Short mmCIF file of all heavy atoms in Angstrom, two decimals:
data_model
loop_
_atom_site.label_atom_id
_atom_site.label_comp_id
_atom_site.label_asym_id
_atom_site.label_seq_id
_atom_site.Cartn_x
_atom_site.Cartn_y
_atom_site.Cartn_z
N MET Q 1513 -7.00 -8.65 -6.65
CA MET Q 1513 -6.35 -8.78 -5.34
C MET Q 1513 -4.87 -8.45 -5.48
O MET Q 1513 -4.15 -9.12 -6.24
CB MET Q 1513 -6.53 -10.22 -4.84
CG MET Q 1513 -6.00 -10.52 -3.45
SD MET Q 1513 -6.71 -9.53 -2.11
CE MET Q 1513 -8.47 -9.89 -2.28
N LYS Q 1514 -4.42 -7.41 -4.78
CA LYS Q 1514 -3.00 -7.08 -4.81
C LYS Q 1514 -2.19 -8.30 -4.38
O LYS Q 1514 -2.56 -8.97 -3.40
CB LYS Q 1514 -2.74 -5.89 -3.86
CG LYS Q 1514 -1.31 -5.35 -3.91
CD LYS Q 1514 -1.16 -4.11 -3.01
CE LYS Q 1514 0.25 -3.52 -3.10
NZ LYS Q 1514 0.43 -2.31 -2.26
N ASP Q 1515 -1.11 -8.58 -5.07
CA ASP Q 1515 -0.35 -9.81 -4.79
C ASP Q 1515 0.53 -9.68 -3.55
O ASP Q 1515 1.64 -10.20 -3.49
CB ASP Q 1515 0.49 -10.22 -6.00
CG ASP Q 1515 0.92 -11.69 -5.90
OD1 ASP Q 1515 0.22 -12.46 -5.23
OD2 ASP Q 1515 1.95 -12.05 -6.49
N LEU Q 1516 0.01 -8.96 -2.56
CA LEU Q 1516 0.66 -8.87 -1.26
C LEU Q 1516 -0.19 -9.61 -0.23
O LEU Q 1516 0.25 -9.83 0.89
CB LEU Q 1516 0.82 -7.39 -0.86
CG LEU Q 1516 1.89 -7.04 0.17
CD1 LEU Q 1516 3.29 -7.34 -0.37
CD2 LEU Q 1516 1.81 -5.57 0.56
N PHE Q 1517 -1.42 -9.97 -0.64
CA PHE Q 1517 -2.34 -10.69 0.25
C PHE Q 1517 -2.17 -12.19 -0.01
O PHE Q 1517 -2.27 -12.63 -1.16
CB PHE Q 1517 -3.79 -10.30 -0.04
CG PHE Q 1517 -4.14 -8.87 0.31
CD1 PHE Q 1517 -3.82 -7.83 -0.55
CD2 PHE Q 1517 -4.78 -8.57 1.51
CE1 PHE Q 1517 -4.13 -6.52 -0.23
CE2 PHE Q 1517 -5.10 -7.25 1.83
CZ PHE Q 1517 -4.77 -6.23 0.96
N CYS Q 1518 -1.94 -12.96 1.04
CA CYS Q 1518 -1.83 -14.40 0.88
C CYS Q 1518 -3.18 -14.98 0.49
O CYS Q 1518 -4.20 -14.70 1.13
CB CYS Q 1518 -1.33 -15.05 2.16
SG CYS Q 1518 0.41 -14.74 2.45
N THR Q 1519 -3.19 -15.75 -0.58
CA THR Q 1519 -4.41 -16.38 -1.07
C THR Q 1519 -4.17 -17.88 -1.13
O THR Q 1519 -3.23 -18.34 -1.78
CB THR Q 1519 -4.75 -15.84 -2.47
OG1 THR Q 1519 -3.55 -15.79 -3.25
CG2 THR Q 1519 -5.37 -14.45 -2.40
N GLU Q 1520 -5.01 -18.61 -0.45
CA GLU Q 1520 -4.81 -20.05 -0.31
C GLU Q 1520 -4.84 -20.74 -1.67
O GLU Q 1520 -5.80 -20.58 -2.44
CB GLU Q 1520 -5.90 -20.64 0.60
CG GLU Q 1520 -5.65 -22.10 0.91
CD GLU Q 1520 -6.62 -22.63 1.97
OE1 GLU Q 1520 -7.46 -21.88 2.46
OE2 GLU Q 1520 -6.50 -23.83 2.27
N GLY Q 1521 -3.77 -21.45 -1.97
CA GLY Q 1521 -3.73 -22.21 -3.22
C GLY Q 1521 -3.38 -21.39 -4.45
O GLY Q 1521 -3.31 -21.94 -5.55
N VAL Q 1522 -3.19 -20.08 -4.29
CA VAL Q 1522 -2.83 -19.23 -5.43
C VAL Q 1522 -1.52 -18.50 -5.11
O VAL Q 1522 -1.40 -17.83 -4.07
CB VAL Q 1522 -3.93 -18.18 -5.74
CG1 VAL Q 1522 -3.52 -17.30 -6.91
CG2 VAL Q 1522 -5.26 -18.87 -6.03
N GLN Q 1523 -0.55 -18.64 -6.01
CA GLN Q 1523 0.78 -18.07 -5.79
C GLN Q 1523 0.71 -16.64 -5.28
O GLN Q 1523 -0.06 -15.81 -5.77
CB GLN Q 1523 1.56 -18.08 -7.11
CG GLN Q 1523 2.94 -17.44 -6.98
CD GLN Q 1523 3.68 -17.34 -8.31
OE1 GLN Q 1523 4.62 -18.05 -8.55
NE2 GLN Q 1523 3.24 -16.44 -9.17
N THR Q 1524 1.54 -16.34 -4.28
CA THR Q 1524 1.61 -15.01 -3.68
C THR Q 1524 3.08 -14.61 -3.64
O THR Q 1524 3.87 -15.26 -2.95
CB THR Q 1524 1.01 -15.04 -2.26
OG1 THR Q 1524 -0.36 -15.45 -2.36
CG2 THR Q 1524 1.09 -13.69 -1.59
N THR Q 1525 3.45 -13.56 -4.38
CA THR Q 1525 4.87 -13.28 -4.56
C THR Q 1525 5.35 -11.97 -3.96
O THR Q 1525 6.55 -11.75 -3.86
CB THR Q 1525 5.21 -13.20 -6.06
OG1 THR Q 1525 4.53 -12.06 -6.62
CG2 THR Q 1525 4.82 -14.47 -6.80
N ALA Q 1526 4.43 -11.04 -3.63
CA ALA Q 1526 4.84 -9.68 -3.28
C ALA Q 1526 5.70 -9.08 -4.41
O ALA Q 1526 6.53 -8.22 -4.16
CB ALA Q 1526 5.57 -9.63 -1.94
N ALA Q 1527 5.49 -9.57 -5.63
CA ALA Q 1527 6.23 -9.11 -6.81
C ALA Q 1527 7.73 -9.33 -6.68
O ALA Q 1527 8.54 -8.62 -7.27
CB ALA Q 1527 5.93 -7.65 -7.16
N SER Q 1528 8.11 -10.33 -5.88
CA SER Q 1528 9.54 -10.61 -5.68
C SER Q 1528 9.92 -11.94 -6.32
O SER Q 1528 9.08 -12.82 -6.51
CB SER Q 1528 9.84 -10.70 -4.18
OG SER Q 1528 9.26 -11.88 -3.63
N HIS Q 1529 11.20 -12.07 -6.62
CA HIS Q 1529 11.74 -13.36 -7.01
C HIS Q 1529 11.78 -14.28 -5.79
O HIS Q 1529 11.57 -15.48 -5.89
CB HIS Q 1529 13.13 -13.17 -7.59
CG HIS Q 1529 13.78 -14.43 -8.09
ND1 HIS Q 1529 13.08 -15.45 -8.69
CD2 HIS Q 1529 15.07 -14.84 -8.05
CE1 HIS Q 1529 13.91 -16.43 -9.01
NE2 HIS Q 1529 15.11 -16.08 -8.63
N MET Q 1530 12.04 -13.67 -4.62
CA MET Q 1530 12.17 -14.44 -3.39
C MET Q 1530 10.98 -15.36 -3.16
O MET Q 1530 11.14 -16.51 -2.74
CB MET Q 1530 12.32 -13.46 -2.21
CG MET Q 1530 12.54 -14.12 -0.88
SD MET Q 1530 14.10 -15.04 -0.80
CE MET Q 1530 15.23 -13.81 -0.17
N LEU Q 1531 9.77 -14.86 -3.43
CA LEU Q 1531 8.58 -15.65 -3.16
C LEU Q 1531 7.99 -16.27 -4.43
O LEU Q 1531 6.84 -16.72 -4.42
CB LEU Q 1531 7.52 -14.79 -2.44
CG LEU Q 1531 7.80 -14.54 -0.95
CD1 LEU Q 1531 6.78 -13.57 -0.36
CD2 LEU Q 1531 7.80 -15.85 -0.17
N GLU Q 1532 8.76 -16.31 -5.50
CA GLU Q 1532 8.25 -16.94 -6.72
C GLU Q 1532 7.90 -18.40 -6.41
O GLU Q 1532 8.70 -19.14 -5.84
CB GLU Q 1532 9.31 -16.88 -7.82
CG GLU Q 1532 8.74 -17.29 -9.17
CD GLU Q 1532 9.73 -17.00 -10.31
OE1 GLU Q 1532 10.92 -16.76 -10.03
OE2 GLU Q 1532 9.28 -17.03 -11.46
N GLY Q 1533 6.70 -18.79 -6.74
CA GLY Q 1533 6.26 -20.16 -6.50
C GLY Q 1533 5.67 -20.39 -5.12
O GLY Q 1533 5.16 -21.47 -4.83
N PHE Q 1534 5.71 -19.38 -4.26
CA PHE Q 1534 5.14 -19.54 -2.91
C PHE Q 1534 3.62 -19.62 -3.01
O PHE Q 1534 2.97 -18.72 -3.53
CB PHE Q 1534 5.55 -18.35 -2.02
CG PHE Q 1534 4.84 -18.32 -0.68
CD1 PHE Q 1534 5.04 -19.33 0.24
CD2 PHE Q 1534 3.98 -17.28 -0.36
CE1 PHE Q 1534 4.39 -19.30 1.48
CE2 PHE Q 1534 3.33 -17.24 0.87
CZ PHE Q 1534 3.54 -18.26 1.79
N THR Q 1535 3.06 -20.73 -2.54
CA THR Q 1535 1.62 -20.94 -2.60
C THR Q 1535 1.09 -21.09 -1.19
O THR Q 1535 1.28 -22.14 -0.57
CB THR Q 1535 1.30 -22.20 -3.44
OG1 THR Q 1535 1.97 -22.08 -4.70
CG2 THR Q 1535 -0.19 -22.33 -3.67
N PRO Q 1536 0.48 -20.03 -0.66
CA PRO Q 1536 0.05 -20.08 0.75
C PRO Q 1536 -0.92 -21.23 1.00
O PRO Q 1536 -1.73 -21.60 0.15
CB PRO Q 1536 -0.65 -18.73 0.96
CG PRO Q 1536 -0.09 -17.84 -0.11
CD PRO Q 1536 0.19 -18.73 -1.28
N THR Q 1537 -0.84 -21.75 2.22
CA THR Q 1537 -1.78 -22.79 2.64
C THR Q 1537 -2.86 -22.17 3.53
O THR Q 1537 -3.56 -22.86 4.24
CB THR Q 1537 -1.05 -23.90 3.42
OG1 THR Q 1537 -0.34 -23.28 4.49
CG2 THR Q 1537 -0.06 -24.63 2.53
N TYR Q 1538 -2.93 -20.85 3.50
CA TYR Q 1538 -3.92 -20.13 4.30
C TYR Q 1538 -4.33 -18.86 3.55
O TYR Q 1538 -3.66 -18.46 2.59
CB TYR Q 1538 -3.36 -19.77 5.68
CG TYR Q 1538 -2.05 -19.02 5.60
CD1 TYR Q 1538 -2.04 -17.64 5.50
CD2 TYR Q 1538 -0.84 -19.69 5.58
CE1 TYR Q 1538 -0.85 -16.95 5.39
CE2 TYR Q 1538 0.37 -19.02 5.47
CZ TYR Q 1538 0.35 -17.64 5.38
OH TYR Q 1538 1.53 -16.96 5.26
N GLU Q 1539 -5.41 -18.23 4.02
CA GLU Q 1539 -5.96 -17.05 3.37
C GLU Q 1539 -5.79 -15.84 4.29
O GLU Q 1539 -6.04 -15.94 5.49
CB GLU Q 1539 -7.46 -17.29 3.10
CG GLU Q 1539 -8.15 -16.25 2.25
CD GLU Q 1539 -7.82 -16.40 0.76
OE1 GLU Q 1539 -7.58 -17.52 0.28
OE2 GLU Q 1539 -7.78 -15.35 0.09
N SER Q 1540 -5.39 -14.70 3.75
CA SER Q 1540 -5.30 -13.49 4.59
C SER Q 1540 -6.69 -13.14 5.10
O SER Q 1540 -7.71 -13.46 4.47
CB SER Q 1540 -4.73 -12.32 3.79
OG SER Q 1540 -5.74 -11.66 3.05
N THR Q 1541 -6.74 -12.49 6.24
CA THR Q 1541 -8.04 -12.12 6.83
C THR Q 1541 -8.86 -11.25 5.88
O THR Q 1541 -10.04 -11.50 5.64
CB THR Q 1541 -7.83 -11.38 8.16
OG1 THR Q 1541 -7.17 -12.27 9.07
CG2 THR Q 1541 -9.16 -10.95 8.77
N VAL Q 1542 -8.21 -10.22 5.31
CA VAL Q 1542 -8.95 -9.28 4.46
C VAL Q 1542 -9.47 -9.96 3.19
O VAL Q 1542 -10.65 -9.81 2.84
CB VAL Q 1542 -8.05 -8.07 4.11
CG1 VAL Q 1542 -8.63 -7.28 2.94
CG2 VAL Q 1542 -7.91 -7.15 5.33
N SER Q 1543 -8.62 -10.74 2.52
CA SER Q 1543 -9.11 -11.40 1.30
C SER Q 1543 -10.19 -12.41 1.66
O SER Q 1543 -11.21 -12.53 0.97
CB SER Q 1543 -7.97 -12.04 0.52
OG SER Q 1543 -7.27 -12.98 1.33
N GLY Q 1544 -10.02 -13.10 2.79
CA GLY Q 1544 -11.03 -14.08 3.23
C GLY Q 1544 -12.38 -13.43 3.47
O GLY Q 1544 -13.43 -13.99 3.14
N LYS Q 1545 -12.37 -12.23 4.04
CA LYS Q 1545 -13.64 -11.51 4.28
C LYS Q 1545 -14.31 -11.16 2.95
O LYS Q 1545 -15.53 -11.22 2.82
CB LYS Q 1545 -13.37 -10.21 5.05
CG LYS Q 1545 -13.17 -10.37 6.55
CD LYS Q 1545 -12.71 -9.03 7.13
CE LYS Q 1545 -12.53 -9.09 8.64
NZ LYS Q 1545 -13.81 -8.95 9.36
N LEU Q 1546 -13.49 -10.76 1.97
CA LEU Q 1546 -14.06 -10.39 0.66
C LEU Q 1546 -14.69 -11.60 -0.03
O LEU Q 1546 -15.78 -11.51 -0.58
CB LEU Q 1546 -12.98 -9.75 -0.21
CG LEU Q 1546 -12.53 -8.35 0.24
CD1 LEU Q 1546 -11.20 -7.96 -0.40
CD2 LEU Q 1546 -13.60 -7.30 -0.09
N TRP Q 1547 -13.99 -12.73 0.03
CA TRP Q 1547 -14.56 -13.94 -0.61
C TRP Q 1547 -15.82 -14.39 0.14
O TRP Q 1547 -16.80 -14.80 -0.46
CB TRP Q 1547 -13.55 -15.09 -0.66
CG TRP Q 1547 -12.18 -14.76 -1.17
CD1 TRP Q 1547 -11.00 -15.30 -0.72
CD2 TRP Q 1547 -11.81 -13.84 -2.20
NE1 TRP Q 1547 -9.94 -14.76 -1.41
CE2 TRP Q 1547 -10.40 -13.86 -2.32
CE3 TRP Q 1547 -12.52 -12.98 -3.03
CZ2 TRP Q 1547 -9.69 -13.07 -3.22
CZ3 TRP Q 1547 -11.82 -12.18 -3.95
CH2 TRP Q 1547 -10.43 -12.24 -4.03
N ALA Q 1548 -15.78 -14.27 1.47
CA ALA Q 1548 -16.94 -14.69 2.26
C ALA Q 1548 -18.16 -13.82 1.94
O ALA Q 1548 -19.30 -14.27 2.06
CB ALA Q 1548 -16.62 -14.63 3.74
N ALA Q 1549 -17.91 -12.58 1.52
CA ALA Q 1549 -19.01 -11.67 1.16
C ALA Q 1549 -19.50 -11.90 -0.27
O ALA Q 1549 -20.38 -11.20 -0.75
CB ALA Q 1549 -18.57 -10.22 1.34
N GLY Q 1550 -18.88 -12.85 -0.95
CA GLY Q 1550 -19.35 -13.21 -2.29
C GLY Q 1550 -18.52 -12.68 -3.44
O GLY Q 1550 -18.81 -12.96 -4.60
N ALA Q 1551 -17.48 -11.89 -3.15
CA ALA Q 1551 -16.64 -11.36 -4.23
C ALA Q 1551 -15.87 -12.49 -4.90
O ALA Q 1551 -15.59 -13.52 -4.27
CB ALA Q 1551 -15.67 -10.31 -3.69
N GLY Q 1552 -15.54 -12.32 -6.16
CA GLY Q 1552 -14.75 -13.30 -6.89
C GLY Q 1552 -13.40 -12.71 -7.26
O GLY Q 1552 -13.28 -11.49 -7.44
N MET Q 1553 -12.39 -13.56 -7.41
CA MET Q 1553 -11.04 -13.05 -7.69
C MET Q 1553 -10.69 -13.16 -9.17
O MET Q 1553 -10.65 -14.25 -9.73
CB MET Q 1553 -10.00 -13.81 -6.86
CG MET Q 1553 -8.57 -13.34 -7.13
SD MET Q 1553 -7.40 -13.80 -5.84
CE MET Q 1553 -7.24 -15.55 -6.15
N LEU Q 1554 -10.41 -12.01 -9.79
CA LEU Q 1554 -10.00 -11.98 -11.20
C LEU Q 1554 -8.52 -12.32 -11.35
O LEU Q 1554 -8.10 -12.79 -12.41
CB LEU Q 1554 -10.27 -10.60 -11.79
CG LEU Q 1554 -11.76 -10.26 -11.95
CD1 LEU Q 1554 -11.97 -8.76 -12.05
CD2 LEU Q 1554 -12.32 -10.97 -13.19
N GLY Q 1555 -7.74 -12.08 -10.30
CA GLY Q 1555 -6.33 -12.40 -10.37
C GLY Q 1555 -5.54 -11.66 -9.31
O GLY Q 1555 -6.10 -10.89 -8.53
N LYS Q 1556 -4.21 -11.94 -9.30
CA LYS Q 1556 -3.31 -11.30 -8.36
C LYS Q 1556 -2.60 -10.17 -9.08
O LYS Q 1556 -1.93 -10.37 -10.11
CB LYS Q 1556 -2.29 -12.31 -7.82
CG LYS Q 1556 -2.91 -13.51 -7.09
CD LYS Q 1556 -3.68 -13.14 -5.81
CE LYS Q 1556 -2.84 -12.64 -4.66
NZ LYS Q 1556 -2.01 -13.66 -4.01
N LEU Q 1557 -2.72 -8.97 -8.50
CA LEU Q 1557 -2.25 -7.76 -9.17
C LEU Q 1557 -0.79 -7.46 -8.87
O LEU Q 1557 -0.33 -7.59 -7.73
CB LEU Q 1557 -3.12 -6.58 -8.75
CG LEU Q 1557 -4.55 -6.64 -9.29
CD1 LEU Q 1557 -5.50 -5.80 -8.45
CD2 LEU Q 1557 -4.59 -6.20 -10.75
N ASN Q 1558 -0.11 -7.02 -9.89
CA ASN Q 1558 1.30 -6.63 -9.81
C ASN Q 1558 1.47 -5.43 -8.87
O ASN Q 1558 0.52 -4.68 -8.63
CB ASN Q 1558 1.78 -6.29 -11.23
CG ASN Q 1558 3.27 -6.46 -11.42
OD1 ASN Q 1558 4.03 -6.54 -10.45
ND2 ASN Q 1558 3.70 -6.51 -12.68
N LEU Q 1559 2.68 -5.23 -8.39
CA LEU Q 1559 2.98 -4.17 -7.43
C LEU Q 1559 4.48 -3.94 -7.41
O LEU Q 1559 5.23 -4.69 -8.03
CB LEU Q 1559 2.48 -4.56 -6.03
CG LEU Q 1559 3.17 -5.77 -5.37
CD1 LEU Q 1559 3.19 -5.60 -3.86
CD2 LEU Q 1559 2.45 -7.06 -5.72
#
Side-chain angles (χ1 to χ4, degrees):
Chain Q
M1513 184 58 58
K1514 186 176 183 179
D1515 198 25
L1516 202 64
F1517 292 81
C1518 287
T1519 43
E1520 187 172 359
V1522 179
Q1523 178 185 253
T1524 300
T1525 65
S1528 70
H1529 182 36
M1530 183 64 92
L1531 284 174
E1532 190 171 15
F1534 172 64
T1535 307
T1537 55
Y1538 53 88
E1539 189 76 32
S1540 84
T1541 298
V1542 164
S1543 57
K1545 281 171 178 280
L1546 289 163
W1547 312 144
M1553 179 161 73
L1554 291 159
K1556 300 296 292 288
L1557 291 158
N1558 205 343
L1559 65 149

